[in-house]
RNA sequence: GGGGCCGUGGUCGAGCAUGGUCCAAGAUGCCUGGCUUGGGCCCAGGAGGUCGUGGGUUCAAAUCCCACCGGCCCCA
């Protein structure tokens, strides 16, 4: 009776169907809510999000970010102040008015909008709070939902109209300090994503694709089984673009006034959840990394005629040992066979199963079965906590390793744009030698039928080849792929 | 922004071309009982659908037409 080998053929071949199915059966989210782009987060999905949220918030606060909460609505007037910003978002904001009894909307003198992101809500307050260099840096963060009226097709967790995220906003006295904060923000996000075992590219977006109103943007693109990368987080250097329009000024140490240098960065919880499911899962369902798994260990007793009582109390003993240290569930349903229980919990992503039957009770051991590899290991009851701890750590490492290898496999360097277009068709992420000019980057988009995601931020990648578009000397590599 | 496809119990899905034989097949899931219990088996029974919503055509609509809502795909 060998272990179960994880298969992920269906996950890669029919990702959409697989994903939708998994969301429901693993109790992650229910996308049947009757408003387009909105969904119900079920207990397992929300649990994971909460775990991720707490970890991220902890790291942000450790770095000096103050937790705050700003209103959901903004005046259209404030929202419209920054020219580029409004250009980028206007097409997708929800407007709010008063619902008149009997239907119909009341005319509003000053219409309100739901935040699609909170710059224009926060910065008027920044202007009130900041007057001297001593008030800087100001670093704040909030976890909330933002609302974007997506015109394209929506997709559960990936592209929704209500987006649960964390947004952080900082104001600094100098450009250098702002730059330093960009590095810190990137480090924080990387740390959270790395701890979840996700594999992604850290890219500086091309200028034509930067955040509306930013000087430049850095983004984290996680790979996805269907070949469309999933942007899970972004960091934007706003320069003084927003401080100038919102009059965020401070008195300098040496006298005189200056506008603050600002940053904003966001971390998408639902997309990170999607990445966890998509990267780590297999055909059966999700495999949650132990740190965020709603249930880390499930105990399945294996009864045997005449020895039910013995097995039951043995399983109970294991349960009381483990529950102190792990999120543990004892599946003591009596009308369900062990085999069915295995299947049941596998589909719900529990990373480790503990089997306890007459054999184990007899010898004082337990059988540990890994969800990711199916590997079975018999360990003694004494020292069980440590054994479980170790196996969970192994699972975490091996999920991360598997995701990382997959990313390596997906990224291919191409020598011609035609080849690149072919690779895109196959769902690959193409690495393309590039001269650095915007026009070449722009034409890649149409030549290859995919999005230009940018060049590496985490390393200085020098190209040895000529630019694939114009043929002149290549400076670095652009990453091109389909995207959500 | 342009074009196309689709919507049937919780989920998947047959039926729609040629309207009536559909108070809607099947699978899975769910509930009951039995058998079994180291891989979700097997047997018996059961609940669950105004066929997305509204309007129209017709003696008759899941089936044809229109609008809306929702889902998906392709192109820009």
């Amino acid at each position: 009776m060998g272990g179960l080998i994880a298969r992920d053929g269906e996950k890669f071949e029919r990702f959409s169907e697989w994903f939708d199915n998994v969301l429901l059966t693993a109790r992650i989210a229910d996308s049947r809510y009757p408003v387009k782009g909105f969904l119900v987060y079920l207990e397992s999905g929300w649990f994971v999000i909460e775990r991720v949220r707490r970890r991220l918030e902890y790291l942000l606060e450790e770095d000096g970010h103050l937790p705050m909460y700003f209103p959901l609505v903004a005046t259209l007037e404030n929202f419209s102040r920054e020219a580029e910003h409004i250009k980028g978002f206007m097409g997708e904001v929800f407007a709010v008015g008063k619902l008149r009894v009997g239907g119909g909307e009341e005319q509003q003198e000053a219409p309100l909008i739901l935040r699609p992101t909170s710059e224009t809500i926060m910065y008027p307050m920044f202007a009130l709070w900041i007057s001297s260099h001593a008030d800087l840096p100001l670093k704040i963060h909030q976890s909330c939902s933002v609302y974007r009226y997506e015109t394209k097709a929506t997709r559960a967790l990936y592209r929704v109209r209500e987006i649960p995220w964390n947004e952080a906003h900082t104001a600094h006295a100098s450009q250098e300090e702002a730059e330093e904060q960009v590095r810190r923000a990137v480090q924080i996000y990387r740390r959270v994503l790395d701890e979840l075992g996700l594999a992604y590219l850290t890219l500086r977006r091309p200028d034509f694709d930067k955040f509306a109103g930013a000087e430049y943007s850095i983004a984290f693109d996680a790979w996805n089984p269907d070949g469309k990368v999933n942007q899970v987080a972004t960091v934007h250097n706003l320069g003084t673009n927003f401080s100038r329009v919102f009059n965020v000024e401070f008195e300098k140490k040496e006298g005189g006034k200056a506008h603050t240098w600002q940053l904003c960065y966001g971390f998408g919880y639902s997309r990170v959840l999607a990445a966890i499911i998509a990267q780590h899962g297999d055909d059966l369902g999700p495999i949650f990394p132990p740190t965020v798994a709603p249930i880390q260990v499930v105990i399945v007793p294996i009864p045997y005629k005449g020895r039910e009582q013995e097995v039951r109390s043995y399983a109970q003993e294991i349960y009381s040992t483990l529950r102190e240290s792990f999120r543990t569930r004892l599946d003591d349903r009596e009308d369900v066979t062990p085999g069915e229980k295995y299947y049941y919990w596998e589909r719900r992503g529990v990373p480790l199963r503990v089997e306890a039957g007459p054999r184990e009770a007899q010898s004082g051991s337990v059988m540990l079965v890994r969800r990711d590899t199916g590997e079975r290991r018999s360990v003694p009851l004494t020292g069980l906590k440590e054994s479980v701890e170790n196996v969970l750590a192994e699972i975490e490492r091996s999920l991360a390793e598997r995701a990382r290898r997959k990313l390596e496999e997906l990224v291919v360097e191409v020598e011609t744009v035609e080849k690149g277009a072919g690779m895109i068709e196959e769902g690959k992420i193409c690495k393309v030698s590039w001269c650095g000019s915007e026009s070449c980057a722009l034409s890649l988009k149409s030549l290859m039928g995919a999005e230009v995601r940018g060049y590496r931020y985490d390393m200085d990648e020098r190209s040895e080849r000529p630019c694939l578009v114009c043929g002149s000397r290549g400076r670095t590599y652009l990453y091109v792929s389909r995207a959500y």
Side-chain angles (χ1 to χ4, degrees), chain A residues 206-208 434-447 450-454 467 469 478 480:
Chain A
D207 279 350
F208 56 80
W434 174 55
C435 64
S437 87
E438 176 154 331
S439 67
C440 285
L442 271 171
S443 47
L444 269 179
K445 198 172 161 164
S446 49
L447 287 171
E451 303 297 321
V452 176
R453 305 302 286 174
C467 173
V469 182
L478 275 181
V480 181

Side-chain angles (χ1 to χ4, degrees), chain A residues 167-457:
Chain A
E167 54 180 320
H169 297 259
T170 65
H172 306 270
S174 71
Q175 184 168 18
E176 296 70 38
E177 199 185 298
E179 286 293 344
E180 171 56 23
Q181 189 60 36
V182 170
R183 286 186 285 275
R184 284 164 169 271
V186 168
Q187 276 316 109
I188 291 170
Y189 283 178
R190 288 186 65 104
R191 186 147 167 206
V192 176
L193 297 173
D194 289 347
E195 285 174 1
L196 294 169
L198 297 176
Y200 55 91
L201 294 167
T202 309
L203 301 172
R204 178 160 162 157
R205 289 275 188 259
D207 279 350
F208 56 80
D209 196 30
K210 65 189 182 188
F211 177 73
E215 291 291 313
Y216 65 87
S217 296
I218 294 154
F220 302 81
D221 282 345
W223 67 266
N224 205 60
D226 61 0
K228 292 174 155 184
V229 295
N230 171 12
Q231 173 183 300
V232 292
T234 47
V235 175
H236 311 289
N237 189 331
L238 303 176
T240 57
N241 294 339
F242 281 85
S243 59
R244 275 182 278 123
V245 295
F246 286 99
N247 303 313
V248 187
E249 284 182 309
F250 68 101
E251 200 142 342
K252 294 189 283 188
K253 213 175 216 166
E254 61 273 26
K257 291 212 165 195
H259 287 109
T260 54
W261 298 81
Q262 295 189 201
L263 265 60
C264 66
Y265 29 106
F267 185 99
Y269 294 129
S270 68
R271 286 185 160 203
V272 166
L273 174 58
I276 291 170
I277 297 159
Q279 291 195 3
H280 298 321
D282 63 13
D283 281 356
L284 277 172
I287 303 176
F288 289 121
T291 39
V292 296
I295 299 174
Q296 296 170 301
V297 187
V298 63
I299 302 164
V300 177
I302 317 285
Y304 192 80
K305 252 205 166 46
R307 299 175 67 178
E308 290 93 342
Q309 193 46 51
E310 183 189 352
V311 167
R312 198 174 303 147
S313 60
Y314 190 61
Q316 196 54 246
E317 186 185 345
I318 295 169
Y319 179 54
S320 21
T321 307
L322 291 180
R323 67 182 302 188
E324 295 168 11
S325 314
F326 310 99
R327 292 187 289 278
T328 309
R329 177 78 143 257
L330 171 62
D331 189 349
D332 53 6
R333 288 177 291 174
E334 292 186 4
D335 48 351
V336 183
T337 64
E340 194 172 340
K341 291 177 182 176
Y342 297 167
Y343 189 69
Y344 182 90
W345 294 110
E346 279 159 0
R347 285 200 303 180
R348 281 158 182 75
V350 178
L352 183 66
R353 179 173 78 236
V354 167
E355 297 176 16
R359 289 205 294 263
E360 284 77 19
Q362 187 81 59
S363 61
S365 67
V366 299
M367 183 68 81
L368 304 183
V369 187
R370 285 174 59 165
R371 166 70 176 84
D372 61 332
T373 58
E375 186 201 329
R376 312 166 73 85
R377 187 182 304 173
S378 177
V379 301
L381 182 60
T382 24
L384 177 60
K385 260 188 215 172
E386 290 70 27
S387 305
V388 168
E389 187 123 28
N390 288 337
V391 178
L392 289 179
E394 274 173 44
I395 292 170
E396 208 144 272
R397 276 196 299 276
S398 114
L399 287 175
E401 178 59 19
R402 198 155 71 179
R404 197 187 57 74
R405 274 203 308 270
K406 190 70 201 176
L407 176 62
E408 263 174 25
E409 195 183 308
L410 286 172
V411 174
V412 292
E413 187 180 343
V414 293
E415 298 84 37
T416 65
V417 287
E418 292 75 22
K419 249 193 181 150
M423 288 288 115
I424 293 293
E425 280 298 314
E426 289 177 33
K428 302 282 191 190
I429 300 166
C430 292
K431 214 174 134 174
V432 175
S433 180
W434 174 55
C435 64
S437 87
E438 176 154 331
S439 67
C440 285
L442 271 171
S443 47
L444 269 179
K445 198 172 161 164
S446 49
L447 287 171
M448 289 177 58
E451 303 297 321
V452 176
R453 305 302 286 174
Y455 53 93
R456 292 293 281 259
Y457 173 80

Side-chain angles (χ1 to χ4, degrees), chain A residues 20 23-24 29-35 37-40 42 155-156:
Chain A
D20 289 346
L23 288 189
L24 255 185
D30 195 327
S31 57
R32 292 171 298 179
Y33 188 74
V35 181
F38 290 79
L39 59 148
V40 178
L42 303 177
R155 184 83 141 82

Side-chain angles (χ1 to χ4, degrees), chain A residues 107-126:
Chain A
Q107 283 297 331
Q108 292 257 335
E109 276 298 301
L112 300 176
I113 59 130
L114 296 187
R115 60 181 169 222
T117 170
S118 301
E119 287 73 17
T120 60
I121 292 171
M122 294 181 173
Y123 301 165
M125 301 310 292
F126 278 26

